């Protein structure tokens, strides 16, 4: 199966690889996996405590090219967004942007799940 | 599990494989959904006789070899190609314990609604940590540590395999036991994550059996 140009671009030059301090209260961590293939994805967001904007995002994914590209793209997209805006990112937008074939749609679902898991982790640690 | 030996549509001898009759060399009409266990002449169970599987695979691949059908009528040629594809799928699925467990669970849980994403508590974090550790090991020259990790992974896989054996036995007696079916799904998911790690280990780090 041939990867699209955008997948290859993200795969060979992934954006925002790395980790944020998990214990920082402004950081939300999402860890998700795809049992059908064994891919594991960690996505973290750092939220500005005043503006509530996502000011940084990092990821680390162990999986196929599409999973890496999906999570790399996800970190690019959430940066600069409010939590609510990031929450509304749909996997179908990732599929479209990366031209993922049907067998790789679950990679985009994983990335959407990772964003949601990171946000819910952040929220659970910042309940007033 | 009950296993009815099917008969050849042409000569009525008992079929060993659902694909082909060894008595009269006739291809069998293929049902829409073919049972891979039946293709390999095995009872539907997790524990299989690997020798029997190998033997039948060799025998059938010989009979279905494309070389024999080069000059055959188009319809027979196509039948033999389809049969070969099914044979390879059956063989590859059933010889691998993880794939076999997955296929068997698929057969047993067909009309039941299992949660397909369950994992043991804390398992995903463990897998992530092991993936990170493996990254480091692969960038170092520490073959001994790599072998240790490979052994650890294989031990975990064997434990899951043992659980497969006992859980599938329980299901055999009480096929409606949803809790046990779900437990099987959980172990199967875990096994797939382990497999993903094992696949990243180069040959010199693999434990020699």
């Amino acid at each position: 199966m041939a990867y699209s140009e955008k997948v290859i671009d993200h795969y060979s030059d992934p954006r925002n690889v790395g980790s944020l301090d998990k214990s920082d209260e402004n950081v939300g961590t999402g860890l998700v996996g795809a049992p059908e293939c064994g891919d594991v994805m960690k996505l973290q967001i750092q939220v500005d405590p005043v503006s509530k904007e996502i000011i940084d995002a990092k990821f680390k994914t162990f999986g196929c090219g599409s999973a890496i590209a999906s999570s790399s793209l996800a970190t690019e997209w959430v940066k600069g967004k409010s939590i609510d805006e990031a929450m509304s990112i749909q996997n179908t937008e990732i599929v479209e942007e990366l031209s993922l074939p049907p067998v790789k749609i679950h990679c985009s679902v994983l990335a959407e799940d990772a964003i949601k898991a990171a946000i819910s982790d952040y929220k659970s640690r910042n309940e007033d | 599990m009950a296993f009815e030996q099917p008969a050849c549509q042409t000569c009525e001898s008992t079929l060993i494989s659902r694909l082909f009759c060894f008595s009269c060399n006739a291809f069998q009409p293929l049902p829409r959904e073919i049972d891979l266990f039946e293709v390999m002449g095995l009872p539907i169970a997790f524990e299989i006789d690997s020798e029997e599987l190998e033997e039948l695979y060799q025998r059938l691949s010989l009979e279905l070899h494309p070389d024999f059908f080069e000059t055959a009528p188009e319809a027979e040629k196509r039948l033999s190609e389809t049969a070969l594809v099914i044979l390879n799928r059956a063989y590859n699925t059933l010889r691998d314990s993880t794939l076999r467990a997955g296929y068997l669970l698929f057969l047993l849980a067909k009309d039941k609604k299992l949660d397909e994403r369950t994992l043991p508590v804390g398992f995903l974090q463990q897998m992530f940590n092991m993936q990170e550790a493996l990254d480091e090991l692969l960038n170092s020259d520490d073959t001994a540590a790599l072998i240790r990790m490979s052994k650890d992974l294989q031990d975990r896989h064997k434990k899951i395999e043992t659980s497969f054996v006992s859980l599938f036995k329980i299901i055999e007696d009480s096929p409606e036991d949803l809790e046990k079916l779900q437990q099987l799904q959980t172990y199967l998911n875990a096994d797939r994550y382990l497999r993903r790690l094992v696949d990243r280990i180069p040959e010199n780090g693999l434990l020699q059996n």
Side-chain angles (χ1 to χ4, degrees), chain B residues 27 57 60-73 76-85 87-88:
Chain B
F27 284 105
Y57 177 68
L60 279 168
S61 3
L62 205 64
E63 296 285 350
L64 302 180
H65 199 281
D67 284 358
F68 296 137
F69 298 95
E70 264 175 17
T71 56
E76 203 186 336
K77 207 170 168 180
R78 241 180 298 134
L79 258 179
S80 76
E81 282 163 4
T82 311
L84 196 59
V85 169
L87 172 67
N88 283 320

Side-chain angles (χ1 to χ4, degrees), chain B:
Chain B
M1 228 159 281
F3 179 55
E4 220 174 286
Q5 221 50 43
C8 172
Q9 305 269 327
T10 313
C11 74
E12 292 183 2
S13 341
T14 304
L15 286 175
I16 300 174
S17 164
R18 192 57 182 243
L19 289 181
F20 185 79
C21 175
F22 288 112
S23 304
C24 69
N25 289 339
F27 284 105
Q28 301 302 305
L30 297 172
R32 185 172 301 189
E33 260 182 73
I34 195 159
D35 179 332
L36 301 183
F37 285 96
E38 254 183 14
V39 171
M40 300 313 302
L42 294 167
I44 302 175
F46 177 68
E47 283 182 288
I48 57 162
D49 184 334
S50 314
E51 268 174 43
E52 211 177 300
L53 177 73
E54 282 307 318
E55 215 179 348
L56 188 63
Y57 177 68
Q58 299 303 340
R59 250 180 107 186
L60 279 168
S61 3
L62 205 64
E63 296 285 350
L64 302 180
H65 199 281
D67 284 358
F68 296 137
F69 298 95
E70 264 175 17
T71 56
E74 197 51 40
E76 203 186 336
K77 207 170 168 180
R78 241 180 298 134
L79 258 179
S80 76
E81 282 163 4
T82 311
L84 196 59
V85 169
I86 294 174
L87 172 67
N88 283 320
R89 198 175 79 210
Y91 175 65
N92 288 322
T93 304
L94 298 185
R95 74 204 272 231
D96 178 302
S97 68
T98 310
L99 296 179
R100 189 170 66 246
Y103 179 66
L104 188 53
L105 184 59
F106 159 78
L107 289 182
L108 295 171
K110 242 177 195 170
D111 48 350
K112 306 189 176 61
K113 288 206 163 52
L114 293 185
D115 178 350
E116 288 178 354
R117 312 191 63 83
T118 48
L119 279 176
V121 178
F123 186 82
L124 198 59
Q125 184 66 54
Q126 248 182 47
M127 288 300 101
F128 186 84
N129 297 345
M130 284 183 92
Q131 289 277 14
E132 277 197 314
L134 182 56
D135 258 2
E136 268 176 43
L137 281 180
L138 291 175
N139 286 322
S140 75
D141 294 323
D142 196 346
T143 315
L146 207 54
I147 290 175
R148 270 202 303 281
M149 183 174 228
S150 148
K151 183 172 174 350
D152 177 30
L153 288 169
Q154 284 183 33
D155 286 347
R156 284 164 184 255
H157 169 68
K158 285 209 178 96
K159 257 190 209 153
I160 290 180
E161 229 175 20
T162 313
S163 314
F164 281 156
V165 172
S166 52
L167 280 169
F168 276 119
K169 271 200 186 121
I170 296 173
I171 302 287
E172 231 173 90
D173 296 329
S174 48
E176 296 303 317
D177 193 334
L178 265 183
E179 195 191 315
K180 290 285 182 295
L181 283 169
Q182 188 63 60
Q183 221 172 319
L184 271 168
Q185 180 75 59
T186 304
Y187 284 129
L188 179 65
N189 291 342
D191 206 24
R192 287 178 179 148
Y193 283 96
L194 290 174
R195 187 56 76 87
R196 197 58 192 257
L197 276 156
V198 172
D199 286 347
R200 292 186 64 205
I201 299 180
E203 239 159 80
N204 65 350
L206 284 178
L207 200 64
Q208 302 301 319
N209 283 321

Side-chain angles (χ1 to χ4, degrees), chain A residues 64-85:
Chain A
C64 67
S66 301
I68 290 169
S70 296
S71 37
S72 170
L73 179 67
T75 55
E76 273 193 329
W77 277 359
V78 295
K79 271 205 222 178
K81 284 198 166 72
S82 71
I83 288 175
D84 288 340
E85 285 166 347

